[in-house]
Amino acid sequence: MDSSVSSATARGAAALRIDDAVLKVLRERLPDVATRTVEAVTREVPGYTGALSGSMAANIEAAVQMALAGFLKLAGGSRGSDPSTPLGPTLEGAYALGRGEARSGRSMDALLAAYRVGARVSWRELSASASAAGIGAGTMAQFAELVFAYIDELSAASVAGHTDELSTSGRVRERYRERLGQHLLAGARDDTLAAAAERATWTPPTTLTAVLLPSAQVRAVLASLSADTLQVGEDLPAPPGEGGTAAGPPYSLLLVPDVDGPGRRHLLRVLEERQAVVGPPRPWTRARTSYHRAVRTAALPAVTGAPGPVDSEDHLAELVVTADSEALADLRARALAPLAGLSPATRERLAETLRAWLLLQGRRDAVAAHLHVHAQTVRYRMGQLREAYGDRLDDPGAVLDLLVALHPDAAAAVSTEPGAEGTNP
């Protein structure tokens, strides 16, 4: 930082005339003035109430004494010297004080209030001693002007330190939290994750929930979520859509702490009208499983292009059915083989009827209403199906295979798998 005094302070110092005898009296008063200043700050500034005690109080008193000594050096060194000479140790000390206060969690408002109280008490004590030593009214006015210009100088240095510390620590914390998120996605060991969380000054929650959403929407969403939400990467490739290719703008991943139950409902409200996909809550060390679930959900054909948030918990059956596309293709080929020799249109009508029949437990009128056809049409189609399948329609194992093979997402999953076209009856 620049530790030179400002031109206003320099002009005030150049105009002031205080003889050595008065300066000697003022220097002798410094310890008492410092003590009274610290007492006033702890009494009058809420942010410091009870905070300055023991060795800390002694350190602060020493810092106040150094600041006052710097002022007297400035006030008494103007004759025959350059008043703009840097007061390095004093201003650097004020700068360091500001950084330390930021690390202690005290706000800039508390720091400036402390300076205001300190300026008032210091001026009251020093002016009383200066008056008793015989300083005239004109010199006293110049003395007051220099006191407050100097305090402004110190407070500006401390504010700079406070601001720089917050800026630096904020960037460092963001980098550490980004690294923590990367460790989570990589499935790092628990001890590695615990150490990364400690470096990031991040208190581990019970669970983390992955949220995928377009990068352009992250800032607005973060404002409504916990401050401990982790943002992992920016401009991640969009989750693959139908056909396996990336769909839409780049995405970001958020890992949101402790949004189970009612918290999940709040999260979905925050994401309302946003193209987001929400994974399941998972123990924080297993957050990557929530991320993988969200990615797989985003790739489901029924989800691609959804206008609002998608909750992965609403798509568990589709996720299970499409978990292994090769196995699913083999299952479909075997389960639907009896229909392979039919025309595509007939095969599709019979498959649709068979699925409805199985789901509605053979209730012909309910199947007809579901398919919007006549009950006799259902009777005719089921006759064809029983001819094709025979006793297998009464076999629980075969029925299970058919229900999986006939799931709406099953055909889509198989049709998008390279080389699977020939296995999709």
Side-chain angles (χ1 to χ4, degrees):
M1 63 164 287
D2 180 8
S3 57
S4 299
V5 297
S6 70
S7 57
T9 307
R11 285 194 301 272
L16 187 60
R17 293 291 184 268
I18 299 180
D19 61 37
D20 293 339
V22 175
L23 288 173
K24 182 174 181 298
V25 170
L26 296 179
R27 289 192 184 99
E28 290 173 351
R29 290 275 295 135
L30 288 187
D32 187 50
V33 173
T35 299
R36 291 177 182 273
T37 299
V38 172
E39 289 174 350
V41 168
T42 57
R43 184 174 60 252
E44 298 181 31
V45 182
Y48 290 88
T49 302
L52 305 181
S53 59
S55 61
M56 187 176 181
N59 292 338
I60 295 296
E61 283 188 25
V64 172
Q65 284 194 53
M66 184 179 77
L68 293 173
F71 167 74
L72 293 181
K73 177 182 177 183
L74 183 66
S78 58
R79 293 182 296 278
S81 65
D82 180 1
S84 65
T85 298
L87 291 174
T90 304
L91 293 181
E92 291 291 347
Y95 179 83
L97 174 63
R99 298 200 73 145
E101 292 302 275
R103 287 192 293 270
S104 297
R106 278 184 282 273
S107 69
M108 201 161 358
D109 288 342
L111 184 58
L112 292 176
Y115 267 112
R116 287 193 295 271
V117 172
R120 189 189 74 236
V121 174
S122 298
W123 165 243
R124 184 184 65 210
E125 299 293 330
L126 290 177
S127 63
S129 298
S131 178
I135 288 184
T139 302
M140 186 68 78
Q142 294 173 334
F143 186 57
E145 182 179 347
L146 184 59
V147 166
F148 289 100
Y150 180 69
I151 293 294
D152 284 346
E153 201 84 30
L154 295 185
S155 63
S158 288
V159 167
H162 194 282
T163 302
D164 288 351
E165 178 63 28
L166 288 183
S167 176
T168 301
S169 61
R171 287 194 299 269
V172 170
R173 184 169 58 251
E174 285 176 7
R175 286 197 295 270
Y176 277 134
R177 291 192 173 191
E178 172 81 14
R179 193 170 305 165
L180 169 61
Q182 292 167 354
H183 283 314
L184 286 166
L185 293 193
R189 293 171 23 161
D190 286 2
D191 56 348
T192 300
L193 294 176
E198 184 175 357
R199 281 194 299 272
T201 61
W202 185 80
T203 302
T206 302
T207 64
L208 284 173
T209 296
V211 176
L212 288 173
L213 75 165
S215 298
Q217 300 178 12
V218 167
R219 186 182 296 275
V221 168
L222 280 175
S224 300
L225 299 179
S226 164
D228 286 329
T229 296
L230 299 176
Q231 181 178 355
V232 188
E234 296 180 3
D235 299 335
L236 298 173
E242 192 169 353
T245 57
Y251 268 55
S252 286
L253 167 65
L254 302 181
L255 296 176
V256 188
D258 293 332
V259 284
D260 312 28
R264 190 176 187 84
R265 292 194 289 274
H266 168 72
L267 174 61
L268 291 169
R269 284 196 298 272
V270 168
L271 297 171
E272 192 172 359
E273 298 183 0
R274 301 186 186 278
Q275 291 183 309
V277 180
V278 182
R282 287 293 181 263
W284 79 274
T285 56
R286 294 178 51 224
R288 72 170 179 163
T289 63
S290 181
Y291 167 64
H292 290 160
R293 175 77 60 81
V295 170
R296 289 194 55 229
T297 302
L300 291 173
V303 166
T304 303
V310 175
D311 188 344
S312 63
E313 301 290 83
D314 294 337
H315 297 274
L316 296 179
E318 295 98 311
L319 290 166
V320 171
V321 167
T322 60
D324 185 337
S325 58
E326 286 192 14
L328 181 58
D330 292 342
L331 175 65
R332 280 177 58 82
R334 186 181 70 187
L336 302 180
L339 306 181
L342 303 174
S343 69
T346 300
R347 188 168 64 234
E348 182 177 349
R349 285 196 299 271
L350 290 181
E352 181 184 38
T353 301
L354 179 55
R355 180 172 184 269
W357 180 270
L358 294 173
L359 289 175
L360 295 171
Q361 302 175 359
R363 291 179 285 121
R364 186 187 308 152
D365 290 341
V367 174
H370 177 75
L371 297 177
H372 304 291
V373 298
H374 196 276
Q376 285 300 108
T377 302
V378 175
R379 179 194 293 271
Y380 172 71
R381 292 180 185 176
M382 286 308 302
Q384 290 179 285
L385 287 164
R386 288 202 176 275
E387 182 178 346
Y389 281 93
D391 294 344
R392 278 177 287 182
L393 293 185
D394 299 318
D395 178 355
V399 169
L400 176 61
D401 286 353
L402 283 166
L403 282 171
V404 173
L406 292 168
H407 191 284
D409 281 317
V414 170
S415 66
T416 59
E417 182 69 15
E421 291 79 4
T423 66
N424 184 17

